[in-house]
Amino acid sequence: MSSLAASDPTGASSPSPQAPLGPRARRLRGPACAVGLVVALLLARAPSLSEPLNEDITLYSLVANEVLHGRALYTEVFEAKGPFLYACYAAAIALAGCTPLAPYLLSCVFGTICLAGAYAVGGALRGDRTAGWLAAGLWVVVGGDGWLQGETPNAELFVNACTLGGWALLLKADVASSRRLRWALAAGFLLAAGSAFKQNAAFLAASLAAGWIVGAERGRPRREAVASALCVALSGLGLWLVLALVFLASGRLGDLWTATVAYPRFHVGQSMLDNLVSGLPRLFPAWTLRSLGLLLLAILLGLPGWKRERRLLATFVALALGTLLTHLTPGKLFPHYWQHWLPLFVVGAAWSATHPRVRRVAPLLLLVLSALPQLDWYLRDGEWRSRAKFGSLYSEAPRAGRELDALLAPKEQVYVWPELTGPTFYSGRRPPSGILWRRFALVGPGHQARQRLLLRDLERSRPELVLFLREDARFSGDDPVTRWLAAHYEPPPRPLSFGRGRYVGWVRRAGALHRRLLGPGSRAR
């Protein structure tokens, strides 16, 4: 008699054991999980489409859009991040236009790369795929945390994608010994690419390479690790050499240096060591524990379970030191800077939660508890989320942009006096100059050249309107740019306000908008 039909002595049939998965089902299980996680990530990032974008995102978008329109990066349009950041934004804008859809595409694409990297690194401990899937799931849940501004593609998202990818390739080099140097070169390229998005990500590359050496056993493994680390360094140096040659060929090497080295050094202010020391007491303030506290607790509780994995532990600790330097040395503790800790936290928590003693319960419990703080965020509308993070600074920009577009004639432009690019972005109009923030023309290395460029652009484009914040509707300062604007713009014949009164406008004297506001038969003074 078949075992499925076996009966107990009383004649009642016994419960049938669960049939194991067939080969086809086992093959499909991994791809199905991957597709499910990617779909979950796309849905989790979708609320950003209804949220007013913050200043960094609109600034990067306008810089990239100007590059697409022919302005030379760092020479005719200025910002101080690495060139890969604007290249990615330009690619997204080429596909989706200079609209909120472009940043969403970047969030999805690079979020998926982070998800894949988290899976690869998470699964490196004991070859445990469950740890890999858990790390990927945690990335979906926590990687888009709103309080960390993780739902939008700030520079940290691109750096995290490169960090997780480089870490995964280094671990691959340890397994595929016959192709070790090839994987190390690929890892070096990815890690160097992180510094071409945000320059101080070089700390992450250096720390991972150092951890790779420290984690190797003495003798031949140590020598092989040194060779791999050298490949990482050579690959990174080669990438930046190619970038330098590209800018040199177009006569803009000095502009590349000013934007990516000199200006960031000026922006840091005091020495990086001073910034590091002053930032340590504020490393994890209470508000960050809402997003990261549970993962940190899981790491601390589970660390004894994976501390014997020498190579993994060494790279983990080394990357933690590199993350500390990347986070604190700029001296500005903006909320999105805490995203740098996400790769370490999702991987370390996954390693801890899949220890054999707790793996039956801990993975699901960790996912659920990590998701609970996010639920309230997704139930709110976009304007509420923007106001919760930034007050009213950016929430009225979409409305102001639409009102500006309705007021101005098709080819007329607006110059925004405060350092806010949101109204220009949402108006759908190009800025009158590639110097999008006034401070770029007033302070820092090379500001005299940028000041001349801004004045030349304003003189040529003659924007019809200058936009102010209501509480600061005046020209302040005694620099050439301020004097030029004060000489050409004045309060309008009737008040102009935008974005529920958040912004007010001044008009160009005797300009087309000024004449329209005066009405038929009136003469501008």
Side-chain angles (χ1 to χ4, degrees):
M1 182 181 293
S2 168
S3 61
L4 295 177
S7 301
D8 63 14
T10 64
S13 59
S14 60
S16 302
Q18 185 177 1
L21 291 174
R24 180 179 177 83
R26 285 196 297 270
R27 287 197 303 269
L28 293 176
R29 183 169 54 184
C33 289
V35 170
L37 285 171
V38 171
V39 171
L41 185 139
L42 301 184
L43 294 175
R45 303 300 184 266
S48 66
L49 289 168
S50 65
E51 181 180 332
L53 296 172
N54 66 58
E55 176 60 21
D56 286 342
I57 308 305
T58 55
L59 175 64
Y60 302 153
S61 298
L62 289 181
V63 169
N65 194 49
E66 290 304 294
V67 171
L68 288 176
H69 280 86
R71 292 190 194 265
L73 181 62
Y74 304 136
T75 303
E76 297 173 317
V77 57
F78 185 82
E79 221 282 313
K81 293 295 192 301
F84 281 14
L85 181 67
Y86 311 112
C88 289
Y89 266 85
I93 290 170
L95 291 173
C98 195
T99 68
L101 182 58
Y104 172 71
L105 290 178
L106 290 173
S107 289
C108 294
V109 170
F110 282 86
T112 301
I113 295 173
C114 289
L115 186 155
Y119 169 79
V121 179
L125 180 68
R126 298 183 295 269
D128 188 353
R129 291 187 178 183
T130 301
W133 291 122
L134 178 58
L138 288 172
W139 187 270
V140 173
V141 172
V142 185
D145 182 87
W147 298 109
L148 302 179
Q149 302 170 24
E151 77 281 20
T152 52
N154 226 308
E156 289 74 22
L157 171 65
F158 303 95
V159 171
N160 285 340
C162 294
T163 301
L164 283 166
W167 194 2
L169 290 177
L170 268 180
L171 295 175
K172 181 74 172 177
D174 193 34
V175 176
S177 57
S178 61
R179 299 183 178 180
R180 178 181 296 107
L181 298 184
R182 295 182 187 180
W183 289 115
L185 285 170
F189 174 83
L190 269 183
L191 294 170
S195 67
F197 285 103
K198 186 178 181 182
Q199 296 87 305
N200 66 342
F203 286 124
L204 302 173
S207 65
L208 263 179
W212 191 249
I213 295 173
V214 172
E217 300 287 346
R218 292 184 178 181
R220 181 177 178 182
R222 178 69 56 85
R223 291 192 296 272
E224 291 175 344
V226 170
S228 297
L230 287 175
C231 287
V232 169
L234 290 173
S235 183
L237 291 174
L239 174 62
W240 273 101
L241 178 60
V242 169
L243 287 173
L245 290 174
V246 168
F247 277 83
L248 177 64
S250 59
R252 296 184 290 132
L253 182 59
D255 297 324
L256 174 69
W257 176 268
T258 298
T260 60
V261 179
Y263 196 92
R265 187 184 298 166
F266 163 80
H267 181 67
V268 165
Q270 59 183 353
S271 73
M272 289 192 291
L273 179 59
D274 290 338
N275 289 336
L276 178 64
V277 172
S278 63
L280 283 174
R282 299 174 289 160
L283 182 57
F284 290 110
W287 70 267
T288 63
L289 299 181
R290 175 186 183 277
S291 307
L292 303 176
L294 181 64
L295 301 183
L296 179 59
L297 179 63
I299 292 171
L300 295 177
L301 292 176
L303 182 60
W306 46 275
K307 66 180 182 179
R308 293 181 180 178
E309 298 284 341
R310 176 171 175 153
R311 177 59 63 80
L312 295 181
L313 180 62
T315 54
F316 187 91
V317 173
L319 188 57
L321 294 175
T323 302
L324 183 72
L325 294 172
T326 305
H327 182 185
L328 297 183
T329 51
K332 312 289 193 298
L333 297 182
F334 298 117
H336 54 87
Y337 283 11
W338 273 270
Q339 291 180 42
H340 283 302
W341 292 97
L342 289 174
L344 280 168
F345 278 32
V346 299
V347 167
W351 286 348
S352 295
T354 52
H355 188 275
R357 293 182 180 178
V358 296
R359 65 182 296 125
R360 289 182 177 273
V361 177
L364 181 60
L365 184 64
L366 184 61
L367 268 177
V368 171
L369 292 180
S370 297
L372 287 178
Q374 311 292 329
L375 292 180
D376 181 58
W377 189 261
Y378 291 112
L379 295 175
R380 304 282 189 166
D381 62 70
E383 185 172 333
W384 182 93
R385 293 195 298 270
S386 177
R387 288 181 177 272
K389 290 185 289 187
F390 308 109
S392 62
L393 192 57
Y394 309 129
S395 60
E396 298 302 333
R399 181 186 296 268
R402 293 191 297 269
E403 293 168 348
L404 285 168
D405 188 47
L407 174 69
L408 298 172
K411 293 186 178 181
E412 292 176 348
Q413 293 177 303
V414 57
Y415 178 75
V416 183
W417 174 255
E419 292 168 351
L420 297 171
T421 55
T424 307
F425 173 86
Y426 282 106
S427 73
R429 295 167 183 267
R430 291 180 58 194
S433 174
I435 308 302
L436 297 167
W437 278 4
R438 187 164 39 101
R439 81 171 74 160
F440 292 152
L442 302 182
V443 296
H447 75 274
Q448 297 92 342
R450 294 190 294 273
Q451 188 176 100
R452 291 191 296 271
L453 173 62
L454 176 56
L455 287 169
R456 187 168 65 247
D457 287 342
L458 291 174
E459 187 69 47
R460 183 185 66 249
S461 60
R462 296 273 175 159
E464 291 296 326
L465 190 70
V466 171
L467 204 65
F468 297 91
L469 291 173
R470 173 173 288 280
E471 60 268 24
D472 190 29
R474 61 189 178 87
F475 293 116
S476 56
D478 191 31
D479 57 272
V481 175
T482 303
R483 290 196 297 270
W484 187 92
L485 290 168
H488 291 83
Y489 293 85
E490 63 181 25
R494 57 182 175 84
L496 291 176
S497 64
F498 308 90
R500 295 174 180 159
R502 186 75 176 94
Y503 308 92
V504 296
W506 284 19
V507 297
R508 182 166 64 88
R509 290 192 180 98
L513 177 59
H514 193 183
R515 293 192 297 271
R516 292 200 301 272
L517 293 174
L518 286 171
S522 300
R523 180 176 298 177
R525 293 176 295 173

